[in-house]
Amino acid sequence: MASSGKKKATIYDLSVLSGSSPSTVSAVLNGTWQKRRIKESTAELIRSLAETHQYTANRQARGLRSSRSGLIGLLLPIHDNRYFSSMAQTFEAHVRSKGQCPIVVSASRDPKEERKTAETLISYSIDELFICGATDPDGVHEVCEAAGLKHINIDLPGTKVPSVISDNYEGGRMLTEAIIRRFQASGPLEPHELYLFGGRDDHASRERIRGFRAVKNELLGADPDECIQPTGYAPNNARLAFEAFYGKHGKLPRGLFVNSSINFEGLLRFMAGHPHENFTDLVVGCYDYDPFASFLPFPVIMIRQDVEGMISKAFEVIEEARPQPRIHLIQPELVQPRTALTGPLDALKDIE
Amino acid sequence: MASSGKKKATIYDLSVLSGSSPSTVSAVLNGTWQKRRIKESTAELIRSLAETHQYTANRQARGLRSSRSGLIGLLLPIHDNRYFSSMAQTFEAHVRSKGQCPIVVSASRDPKEERKTAETLISYSIDELFICGATDPDGVHEVCEAAGLKHINIDLPGTKVPSVISDNYEGGRMLTEAIIRRFQASGPLEPHELYLFGGRDDHASRERIRGFRAVKNELLGADPDECIQPTGYAPNNARLAFEAFYGKHGKLPRGLFVNSSINFEGLLRFMAGHPHENFTDLVVGCYDYDPFASFLPFPVIMIRQDVEGMISKAFEVIEEARPQPRIHLIQPELVQPRTALTGPLDALKDIE
DNA sequence: AGTTCTTGCACCATCGATTGTGCAAACAAG
DNA sequence: CTTGTTTGCACAATCGATGGTGCAAGAACT
């Protein structure tokens, strides 16, 4: 349907209707009217006209003039993941509460795509950019820097501006230790029975691996290299790694440290092809939290990263006058099996 | 750090550098230069200057002039959910492939918030709006209509413009039938042993319930009213409903039709407070797909809605010259227990 | 009454890109 | 050499909001 809408009202329309000048109308409607010594009665008239004509400012025009847009960007690897989508959810709430408009875009963990996406956002004159889980944060930094855009890293650190990330080393330690303790009753774990799958050569994975190895050494006395299998993040690569191990040994390791829920999906794909009974003695630790995963038929210990904490901290740091490129660590939380935590969803009104 | 970036280059900068007029520069860089009979060599010069100075057009200026922005909006209830976040992911890919910029925003299933959010998006002169899962699609319609904005409904239908939704009646039937069949071996199900939990008085829930009741009648010969418990979408309301039932009967119904993964989380919360062994004879059908839920210790049959199909159809319909406010049904898919399907994630490059 | 403030607002340039129009120079036709 | 045509581009208005500057009318004061 060729939308029959009348054109939106502008300050010029209201200026004619009210008999004032456009600048007066503008001042009244953007709140600077006191500074301009507009009479209360004039302001009142204009406000009521704006109301009845459903006036809303054209943000492109305002943004053009003021070279600000009211848009705040969040650059994600993907939407389709519980961790990142809860980032989006939390981010949105923060931005909204500042009276601005969130714009969330994903860039598929591809450095080129990341830069291109940042450039696109910049062409819309966004006011700030939160760079989350970027493969190449410093590459995005260059683009932002050239445009004079405030920005900050989340989840994966860069070296040029502040970063707010999970304490992956501590998280890795906690998770590894929890997996090992889980076996204390059923029979002690040998070093070669505890494997780490997933992740790649990024800061988060490296730190988790470092924590994993440290705790293995401390508690199991050894830490063979072959127990580290950084298969990337794609579920199918993880699946292939599990298949390969299974093909070779006829079973999985009893203890698994899985680097993310996405990698965990790879484990599920592997399991779909094998009878359920093969995995009774399994303990999985997963560096991510998902309520359904927490109730699987084998013990699943999970790490929940403090998304709210990270976003809050990031908003705090980005406002600083002279932010140093340091790394702010946020503590994650260990989640025992069969735990259904509440989340951002619980803030929903459910009108019945 | 007070970003030290130089101002971005404009067509005026390039006009000075190239010795051409701003309009010539503009024409060259936006592709209309042939129409304006600009010499190839002039165009070449300007293009190379644009390249070396990293020129990108200011979209606010362009949008102001042309009253288009290149932004396409998606209004979601929430991000933090597998179904909706895969909507976002799929939507984004489609928009990107059209050379435009996606802007995804959530409105918490709140009609007022929905309208306000639509108005905000309109103030940025977005070019089209996809309204997904809105509580009050026709309310949002009014806002769009008044602004002359093309829009379309997804997931929950409105009456004023076309809607693309899942065939919830058929999905409800498929899922109900699958649950019932699941009991054929272990002992036939009585009508009062199959309950539906979750959802509220929206089109999707009504259709699913209609399908549920029809199949129950056909296969079990009866369909008591008390077996329908539309507890809303909030996980905790669902939990309370399960607690109430459990308190009264000392067990859960053997067959559960859960209206969404969010409601399913309510079931998990309930289960977290009860020993695992109580739920061995349980079969759950969930109207949503989640790979982890699919591998729970009891059979979970799921419905996967065809997100790609819905988004594609929506893009097709929204381009139509005179779209009628009809409803386009997209078939969902039944997913047997212990199934790990691939999704949008698998399109990810995983650079190693 | 004349001077100085204060009040209340209008005027206008500006942000950067788009686009309708106009017009010289180059070229072709007669 | 004159008249028409085409080529190649410059000019200027425009989109809607912002904010610096200027100025008339009224109030206050000597």
Side-chain angles (χ1 to χ4, degrees):
Chain A
M1 186 149 55
S3 321
S4 68
K6 314 123 198 281
K7 286 286 170 196
K8 297 210 58 182
T10 70
I11 53 169
Y12 297 96
D13 300 331
L14 297 183
S15 120
V16 171
L17 291 169
S18 69
S20 313
S21 77
S23 58
T24 300
V25 175
S26 171
V28 168
L29 296 173
N30 70 22
T32 59
W33 59 285
Q34 317 260 24
K35 240 177 301 182
R36 286 179 161 271
R37 299 184 309 217
I38 310 290
K39 246 195 304 186
E40 174 64 44
S41 65
T42 308
E44 194 48 59
L45 168 63
I46 291 174
R47 265 186 251 120
S48 82
L49 280 170
E51 176 90 16
T52 65
H53 290 266
Q54 307 217 58
Y55 171 84
T56 51
N58 181 322
R59 309 257 189 158
Q60 305 217 58
R62 171 184 296 175
L64 176 57
R65 181 57 225 258
S66 57
S67 66
R68 307 183 67 259
S69 65
L71 294 168
I72 302 198
L74 173 66
L75 185 61
L76 289 180
I78 53 173
H79 286 278
D80 190 4
N81 168 272
R82 196 163 188 114
Y83 174 54
F84 293 120
S85 64
S86 82
M87 280 281 180
Q89 188 80 47
T90 307
F91 173 76
E92 208 189 273
H94 277 256
V95 173
R96 287 291 205 39
S97 79
K98 294 187 12 171
Q100 305 201 259
C101 183
I103 172 163
V104 183
V105 192
S106 76
S108 313
R109 292 193 208 280
D110 175 349
K112 269 204 219 97
E113 191 69 22
E114 285 168 359
R115 299 177 64 127
K116 229 192 69 190
T117 305
E119 265 163 7
T120 301
L121 292 179
I122 286 168
S123 75
Y124 285 105
S125 310
I126 61 171
D127 299 335
E128 294 171 4
L129 180 60
F130 290 66
I131 304 160
C132 176
T135 295
D136 179 20
D138 289 343
V140 180
H141 160 81
E142 276 179 29
V143 175
C144 294
E145 178 71 10
L149 174 62
K150 273 213 250 184
H151 56 294
I152 191 168
N153 301 304
I154 303 185
D155 187 56
L156 284 177
T159 62
K160 312 294 191 179
V161 289
S163 304
V164 179
I165 66 173
S166 272
D167 189 340
N168 288 297
Y169 176 70
E170 261 309 304
R173 287 190 61 100
M174 283 162 49
L175 188 55
T176 310
E177 183 175 341
I179 297 170
I180 293 172
R181 294 221 182 287
R182 192 84 199 179
F183 283 98
Q184 279 179 333
S186 60
L189 206 59
E190 297 295 320
H192 65 273
E193 293 181 310
L194 177 55
Y195 270 65
L196 181 149
F197 282 88
R200 66 188 199 203
D201 188 24
D202 56 34
H203 185 275
S205 298
R206 282 194 301 270
E207 286 296 290
R208 293 171 195 172
I209 290 171
R210 198 162 65 81
F212 175 83
R213 302 193 78 146
V215 170
K216 263 189 87 170
N217 258 314
E218 290 165 22
L219 298 185
L220 303 184
D223 161 36
D225 285 345
E226 71 268 25
C227 297
I228 307 291
Q229 304 265 339
T231 56
Y233 284 113
N236 262 345
N237 289 347
R239 178 179 68 77
L240 293 173
F242 290 116
E243 295 286 6
F245 187 99
Y246 192 82
K248 197 159 161 192
H249 300 88
K251 58 177 182 183
L252 288 187
R254 290 161 68 204
L256 286 180
F257 182 122
V258 179
N259 193 59
S260 77
S261 62
I262 304 185
N263 292 129
F264 202 163
E265 287 193 40
L267 178 56
L268 292 183
R269 292 186 192 178
F270 163 80
M271 287 181 163
H274 298 269
H276 181 206
E277 293 70 35
N278 291 18
F279 312 113
T280 50
D281 193 24
L282 184 65
V283 173
V284 173
C286 175
Y287 207 104
D288 257 338
Y289 170 68
D290 180 290
F292 296 104
S294 187
F295 284 79
L296 287 172
F298 41 84
V300 178
I301 307 161
M302 311 198 86
I303 290 283
R304 181 162 73 164
Q305 304 189 54
D306 182 1
V307 169
E308 171 61 36
M310 294 172 70
I311 295 280
S312 299
K313 186 71 182 176
F315 271 94
E316 199 180 289
V317 172
I318 203 172
E319 302 309 345
E320 283 173 11
R322 288 196 41 75
Q324 302 303 311
R326 58 168 290 233
I327 292 180
H328 301 262
L329 290 181
I330 304 291
Q331 291 310 307
E333 168 191 8
L334 190 71
V335 182
Q336 292 299 334
R338 288 177 51 78
T339 307
L341 297 173
T342 61
L345 285 185
D346 289 273
L348 275 190
K349 298 180 207 173
D350 208 343
I351 305 104
E352 196 48 52
Chain B
M1 185 152 51
S3 319
S4 68
K6 317 124 196 281
K7 287 286 171 194
K8 296 209 58 178
T10 70
I11 53 170
Y12 298 95
D13 302 330
L14 297 184
S15 118
V16 171
L17 291 169
S18 68
S20 312
S21 77
S23 58
T24 299
V25 175
S26 171
V28 168
L29 296 174
N30 69 22
T32 60
W33 59 284
Q34 315 259 25
K35 243 178 299 184
R36 288 180 159 272
R37 296 182 314 216
I38 310 289
K39 245 194 305 187
E40 175 64 46
S41 64
T42 309
E44 194 48 61
L45 168 63
I46 291 176
R47 262 185 254 121
S48 81
L49 280 171
E51 176 89 17
T52 64
H53 290 265
Q54 307 216 60
Y55 170 83
T56 52
N58 180 322
R59 307 256 189 163
Q60 305 216 60
R62 170 183 295 175
L64 175 57
R65 181 58 226 256
S66 57
S67 67
R68 306 183 67 261
S69 63
L71 294 168
I72 302 198
L74 173 65
L75 184 62
L76 290 180
I78 54 172
H79 286 279
D80 189 5
N81 167 274
R82 198 163 186 114
Y83 174 53
F84 293 120
S85 63
S86 82
M87 278 281 180
Q89 188 79 49
T90 308
F91 173 78
E92 207 189 275
H94 276 257
V95 174
R96 287 294 205 34
S97 78
K98 293 186 17 172
Q100 305 200 259
C101 183
I103 170 164
V104 183
V105 191
S106 76
S108 315
R109 292 193 209 280
D110 175 348
K112 268 202 220 96
E113 191 70 23
E114 286 168 358
R115 299 177 62 126
K116 229 191 69 190
T117 305
E119 263 162 7
T120 301
L121 292 178
I122 287 169
S123 74
Y124 285 105
S125 310
I126 60 171
D127 299 335
E128 295 170 4
L129 179 60
F130 290 65
I131 304 162
C132 177
T135 294
D136 178 22
D138 289 343
V140 180
H141 160 80
E142 277 178 30
V143 176
C144 295
E145 179 71 10
L149 173 62
K150 273 212 252 184
H151 55 294
I152 191 169
N153 300 305
I154 303 184
D155 188 53
L156 285 176
T159 63
K160 312 295 194 179
V161 290
S163 303
V164 179
I165 66 174
S166 272
D167 189 341
N168 287 297
Y169 176 71
E170 261 309 304
R173 287 189 62 101
M174 282 161 50
L175 187 55
T176 310
E177 183 176 341
I179 298 170
I180 292 172
R181 292 217 184 291
R182 193 82 198 180
F183 282 99
Q184 280 180 334
S186 59
L189 206 59
E190 296 296 320
H192 65 273
E193 293 182 311
L194 178 53
Y195 269 63
L196 182 149
F197 282 86
R200 67 188 198 204
D201 189 25
D202 58 32
H203 185 276
S205 298
R206 282 195 300 272
E207 287 294 292
R208 292 170 196 173
I209 289 172
R210 199 161 67 80
F212 175 81
R213 302 192 77 147
V215 170
K216 263 188 87 171
N217 257 313
E218 290 166 22
L219 298 185
L220 303 185
D223 162 35
D225 286 345
E226 71 267 23
C227 297
I228 308 290
Q229 307 263 340
T231 57
Y233 284 112
N236 262 346
N237 290 345
R239 180 180 65 77
L240 293 174
F242 290 116
E243 295 286 6
F245 188 99
Y246 192 82
K248 197 158 157 192
H249 302 86
K251 58 176 182 182
L252 288 186
R254 291 160 68 204
L256 287 180
F257 182 121
V258 179
N259 193 60
S260 76
S261 63
I262 304 183
N263 292 128
F264 202 163
E265 286 193 39
L267 178 57
L268 292 183
R269 292 187 192 177
F270 163 80
M271 287 181 164
H274 299 269
H276 182 204
E277 294 68 38
N278 291 16
F279 312 113
T280 50
D281 193 24
L282 183 65
V283 174
V284 172
C286 175
Y287 207 105
D288 256 338
Y289 169 69
D290 180 289
F292 296 104
S294 187
F295 284 79
L296 287 173
F298 41 85
V300 177
I301 308 160
M302 311 199 86
I303 290 284
R304 180 161 74 162
Q305 304 188 56
D306 182 1
V307 169
E308 170 61 35
M310 295 173 66
I311 295 280
S312 298
K313 186 70 184 178
F315 271 95
E316 199 179 288
V317 173
I318 204 173
E319 301 308 346
E320 284 174 9
R322 288 195 41 73
Q324 302 303 311
R326 56 168 294 229
I327 293 180
H328 301 262
L329 290 179
I330 305 292
Q331 291 309 308
E333 170 191 8
L334 190 71
V335 182
Q336 293 299 335
R338 288 177 51 78
T339 308
L341 298 172
T342 61
L345 285 184
D346 290 272
L348 277 189
K349 300 178 203 169
D350 209 340
I351 307 104
E352 196 53 51

